[in-house]
């Protein structure tokens, strides 16, 4: 978990490899064409519902792997969806159902100067939601406060060092 530029996309596959886990995308591939359309719209409530739907679809796959005894890593989960959309202005009340997988959550944080540098070096253009999220980064970080997580500061760390920091927090292999 974490706001843009903290290392989620870079670290998730490395953590999955280190834990002998499956990396499950929380926006399933069948959602990708519609994702582009949703991200072009200005309705934050519709966007929230879309991403919640994608997460619920992903939880089916996550649960299948966990039931088979296979560890799972995801780049982001319900905390990111709910915290970011709350900061973006969504007012739809969401109560998550019982029985969802409850992972060990790592909230990645990063010094602002380094985070902005990481974002500036990305190849993909920022969406209108990304730009708005940057203006609301403080609110997003604050909204994350209601979700329990182990904080990992990725500032100044190589991806491998950041993964080692995560592994040191949960050496028994919890994912």
């Amino acid at each position: 978990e974490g706001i843009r530029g903290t290392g989620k996309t870079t670290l998730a596959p490395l953590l999955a490899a280190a834990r002998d886990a499956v990396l499950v995308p929380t926006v399933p591939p069948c959602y990708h064409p519609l994702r582009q359309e949703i991200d072009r719209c200005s309705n934050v409530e519709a966007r929230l519902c879309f991403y919640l739907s994608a997460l619920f679809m992903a939880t089916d796959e996550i649960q299948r792997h966990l039931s088979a005894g296979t560890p799972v890593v995801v780049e982001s989960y319900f905390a990111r969806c709910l915290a970011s959309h709350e900061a973006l202005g969504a007012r739809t009340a969401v109560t998550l159902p019982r029985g969802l997988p409850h992972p060990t959550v790592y909230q990645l944080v990063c010094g602002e100067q380094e985070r902005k540098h990481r974002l500036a070096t990305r190849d993909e253009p920022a969406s209108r939601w990304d730009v708005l999220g940057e203006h609301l980064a403080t609110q997003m970080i604050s909204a994350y406060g209601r979700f329990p997580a182990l904080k990992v500061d990725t500032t100044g760390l190589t991806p491998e060092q950041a993964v080692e920091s995560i592994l040191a927090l949960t050496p028994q292999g919890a994912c």
Side-chain angles (χ1 to χ4, degrees):
E1 298 285 354
I3 63 173
R4 292 178 69 240
T6 56
K8 296 177 307 298
T9 303
T10 300
L11 298 182
L14 298 175
L15 181 60
R19 292 283 195 210
D20 291 323
V22 173
L23 179 63
V24 175
T26 51
V27 178
C30 63
Y31 276 65
H32 290 193
L34 186 54
R35 179 184 192 174
Q36 295 171 358
E37 292 299 317
I38 292 292
D39 281 346
R40 281 195 283 269
C41 81
S42 61
N43 186 326
V44 69
E45 307 295 344
R47 189 174 189 275
L48 168 63
C49 291
F50 170 80
Y51 281 99
L52 283 172
S53 173
L55 282 165
F56 284 122
M57 291 294 288
T59 61
D60 288 346
E61 181 180 354
I62 292 166
Q63 194 57 59
R64 281 193 301 276
H65 287 295
L66 294 175
S67 294
T70 306
V72 173
V73 170
V74 296
E75 181 180 316
S76 59
Y77 201 48
F78 287 96
R80 181 172 187 218
C81 180
L82 296 171
S84 62
H85 284 90
E86 177 184 314
L88 291 167
R91 296 297 167 244
T92 300
V94 176
T95 302
L96 296 176
R98 296 179 192 262
L100 291 175
H102 289 284
T104 300
V105 177
Y106 306 97
Q107 182 183 356
L108 305 182
V109 295
C110 183
E112 191 63 10
Q113 184 176 358
E114 184 169 332
R115 192 180 73 78
K116 293 216 181 245
H117 173 73
R118 291 175 184 178
L119 292 173
T121 61
R122 287 188 174 175
D123 289 334
E124 72 226 26
S127 73
R128 67 181 296 284
W129 293 103
D130 293 337
V131 172
L132 181 56
E134 281 305 302
H135 292 295
L136 299 169
T138 302
Q139 292 91 322
M140 285 185 185
I141 293 167
S142 177
Y144 265 114
R146 65 186 174 106
F147 301 98
L150 301 170
K151 285 203 168 73
V152 177
D153 189 345
T154 63
T155 307
L157 299 180
T158 65
E160 294 76 16
Q161 291 169 325
V163 168
E164 287 301 319
S165 294
I166 292 168
L167 294 174
L169 288 172
T170 50
Q172 72 280 7
C175 278

